[in-house]
Amino acid sequence: MISAIAQAVANLLASGPTLTGTEQIDFGYPGQITHEMKPCLHLYHYEIQSAQSPYPQPYRGSGLGRAEDFRVDEGDRLQPIWFNIVFALMACDHTALGEQTLLSESLSLLLQSPHLPQRFLSPTLRHYPALPLHVAPITLMAQPDFWLTLGIPLRPALQISVTAPFDVPLGERLGVNELPLPHAPP
């Protein structure tokens, strides 16, 4: 699921005016030079946080993105568990001005989308009405140990958080389909 969310965010970023495609987005550790193409973005997944469902009840729908298209599926045997998938977004270019321009254009694009657009989601996620997308700066004041932990110099960056479901079959999550262990009492 994390890779599906990362790919959806990359598709959104690649839809902007600067990048020619997702090939210019590096998902690797930002301290390593893994992408020689410039300009490029580093979209580094670094945290998973527990989250509440952004919806009052589980939804199943047509995936068209309109609220009236969604309905509750009473027979659904999946229970979504919601998490915030958190990424750091950093720009890389030949000049600092080029990096600032790329990060600024990425911020403008991300702020236009309070939710990940349906067209960028994988088919497994399209049955949810919308996946909330939050953008904030990563600053030295907000995350003092972030840059030290990564071992890279302080640089302009954005934090992107997507609230996403991990669908877990009810029987498997509750353990009702498992046989007792041989040493367990009857």
Side-chain angles (χ1 to χ4, degrees):
M1 189 61 67
I2 295 170
S3 60
I5 298 297
Q7 189 63 51
V9 172
N11 289 337
L12 173 61
L13 292 166
S15 71
T18 304
L19 301 180
T20 59
T22 57
E23 302 82 24
Q24 289 179 273
I25 298 175
D26 190 341
F27 298 96
Y29 183 75
Q32 299 172 329
I33 305 296
T34 58
H35 204 287
E36 296 297 324
M37 183 183 296
K38 293 184 180 179
C40 70
L41 293 171
H42 287 277
L43 184 63
Y44 178 64
H45 170 251
Y46 72 93
E47 189 172 8
I48 300 174
Q49 304 166 347
S50 293
Q52 295 295 320
S53 170
Y55 310 106
Q57 49 190 314
Y59 284 91
R60 293 290 180 250
S62 65
L64 298 177
R66 299 185 317 247
E68 61 271 13
D69 290 332
F70 295 96
R71 59 181 167 74
V72 176
D73 186 359
E74 300 296 336
D76 193 6
R77 300 297 304 155
L78 297 178
Q79 172 67 44
I81 301 173
W82 293 84
F83 291 94
N84 289 327
I85 311 300
V86 185
F87 300 90
L89 181 68
M90 294 164 262
C92 184
D93 201 357
H94 298 288
T95 65
L97 186 59
E99 289 179 1
Q100 293 168 4
T101 301
L102 183 56
L103 199 59
S104 177
E105 290 173 357
S106 297
L107 176 60
S108 295
L109 185 64
L110 291 166
L111 289 175
Q112 293 174 21
S113 298
H115 299 89
L116 272 176
Q118 290 275 328
R119 68 182 183 274
F120 297 134
L121 296 178
S122 68
T124 59
L125 293 171
R126 287 190 184 147
H127 59 267
Y128 289 93
L131 300 182
L133 175 96
H134 303 283
V135 182
I138 296 178
T139 63
L140 188 56
M141 299 300 286
Q143 303 231 358
D145 296 327
F146 181 76
W147 301 106
L148 183 62
T149 302
L150 286 178
I152 60 176
L154 177 66
R155 59 190 300 181
L158 299 173
Q159 176 180 306
I160 301 169
S161 176
V162 178
T163 304
F166 283 67
D167 288 330
V168 178
L170 284 175
E172 289 180 26
R173 180 165 183 231
L174 300 174
V176 296
N177 292 334
E178 298 175 0
L179 297 174
L181 297 173
H183 63 279

